[in-house]
Amino acid sequence: MFDLSGRLALVTGAGQGIGAGVAAHLADQGARVLVNDLALDRAERVASSIETKGGDAEPLVFDVTDLAEVVEALASRGLDIVVNNAGNAGARMMQPAPFREMDPAQWAPPIDVNLHGVMNTTHAVLAGMCERGFGRLITVSSGAGVVGLPIGVAPYGAGKAGAISFMRHIAIENAALGVTANSVALGLMAMTEVHDEALVAKLASTVPCRRLGTGDDLGPAVVWLASHEASWVTGQTIHVNGGSVTT
Ligand SMILES: NC(=O)c1ccc[n+]([C@@H]2O[C@H](COP(=O)([O-])OP(=O)(O)OC[C@H]3O[C@@H](n4cnc5c(N)ncnc54)[C@H](O)[C@@H]3O)[C@@H](O)[C@H]2O)c1
């Protein structure tokens, strides 16, 4: 079950964190994985760690917000599975603030990576998936795209909600062509750049399962959505969150 042998997968923003975990799980199931990131050293590290464990992976640098770069990198690849994981991170880490205090210059970056990035990769791969009669589009969204939160992330939430809605429309437009499009809405995850143990413990205490999530929590859900067996699952938002948001 869930054998991905012979499938070519892309995970964007997979040079660290959740995306790295997802890439490893896809490779474990037999997929060849293109490990995308803005940072070459990160993508190389993750790809080589997959290869060391016997998997098949290749680093692939591009910026998901740059349509021309995305098309050049992906159009001729024949991708079967695309996991839109790149989010606000690294140099583009968003600065949380209540919207009324936010400079309008802060609105666009989270929407650019979390919504336009997903549209860019989808544009580059969708026609080929439809022609071949198989495709799996999986977008990593967030509880912030589903419910309101008091943590100063309104533009990020708008980008994540937009991506969920975009997946639903793509799902319905292409449902008869063998292409599925789904989202996973994550709760509080362990963050690569946060090393404050007291803060981690405080955040974990707010999660019903009493711990932060990892790529190992998301990876199996993505493997399932990417599989042949999930061909009747499309247009959905799967919550992977330790019970934080129940709908
Ligand atoms: N960490 C959380 O608590 C949490 C919660 C809900 C949802 N999410 C979502 O999960 C996903 C992964 O989060 P994470 O915490 O592992 O992130 P992270 O910041 O640890 O890693 C993201 C990676 O994406 C890369 N990246 C950023 N912008 C990019 C771009 N434009 N093009 C290509 N690569 C780019 C970065 O270089 C980085 O290596 C994101 O979409 C995030 O919004 C995270």
Side-chain angles (χ1 to χ4, degrees):
M1 221 186 238
F2 310 150
D3 180 11
L4 302 180
S5 305
R7 300 291 189 205
L8 180 62
L10 165 76
V11 185
T12 66
Q16 67 177 25
I18 315 297
V22 168
H25 279 265
L26 290 169
D28 283 349
Q29 295 307 115
R32 170 169 170 71
V33 183
L34 305 182
V35 178
N36 159 258
D37 207 281
L38 281 174
L40 175 62
D41 60 326
R42 292 183 187 180
E44 282 180 338
R45 208 164 40 238
V46 171
S48 96
S49 130
I50 289 172
E51 296 243 310
T52 303
K53 290 176 191 140
D56 188 2
E58 175 189 329
L60 185 62
V61 170
F62 61 82
D63 179 343
V64 298
T65 67
D66 185 324
L67 178 60
E69 265 187 38
V70 172
V71 169
E72 193 188 335
L74 301 184
S76 62
R77 287 287 193 152
L79 279 153
D80 302 300
I81 299 161
V82 170
V83 183
N84 292 300
N85 167 79
N88 288 80
R92 295 167 190 219
M93 179 91 81
M94 64 185 164
Q95 300 296 321
F99 186 71
R100 66 179 178 280
E101 293 169 15
M102 206 176 265
D103 186 310
Q106 290 173 265
W107 301 350
I111 294 182
D112 218 16
V113 66
N114 292 296
L115 175 57
H116 297 149
V118 177
M119 296 171 87
N120 290 342
T121 57
T122 303
H123 171 76
V125 304
L126 183 57
M129 287 178 169
C130 291
E131 274 164 31
R132 292 186 300 277
F134 183 92
R136 297 286 184 266
L137 301 170
I138 300 156
T139 292
V140 179
S141 187
S142 167
V146 181
V147 298
L149 296 169
I151 55 173
V153 296
Y156 170 80
K160 288 300 198 192
I164 287 175
S165 178
F166 178 65
M167 283 291 102
R168 289 194 186 116
H169 286 276
I170 296 303
I172 302 312
E173 286 180 12
N174 301 285
L177 299 169
V179 177
T180 68
N182 293 288
S183 300
V184 281
L186 299 183
L188 282 171
M189 310 299 283
M191 282 167 272
T192 311
E193 274 117 31
V194 174
H195 304 291
D196 178 340
E197 280 180 29
L199 175 61
V200 169
K202 191 174 161 202
L203 292 173
S205 72
T206 69
V207 180
C209 284
R210 295 289 184 269
R211 66 175 176 82
L212 303 184
T214 70
D216 288 334
D217 295 303
L218 179 59
V222 169
V223 162
W224 167 59
L225 289 171
S227 71
H228 164 76
E229 287 84 349
S231 63
W232 215 52
V233 181
T234 196
Q236 304 305 309
T237 302
I238 311 295
H239 290 261
V240 179
N241 60 21
S244 291
V245 174
T246 54
T247 57

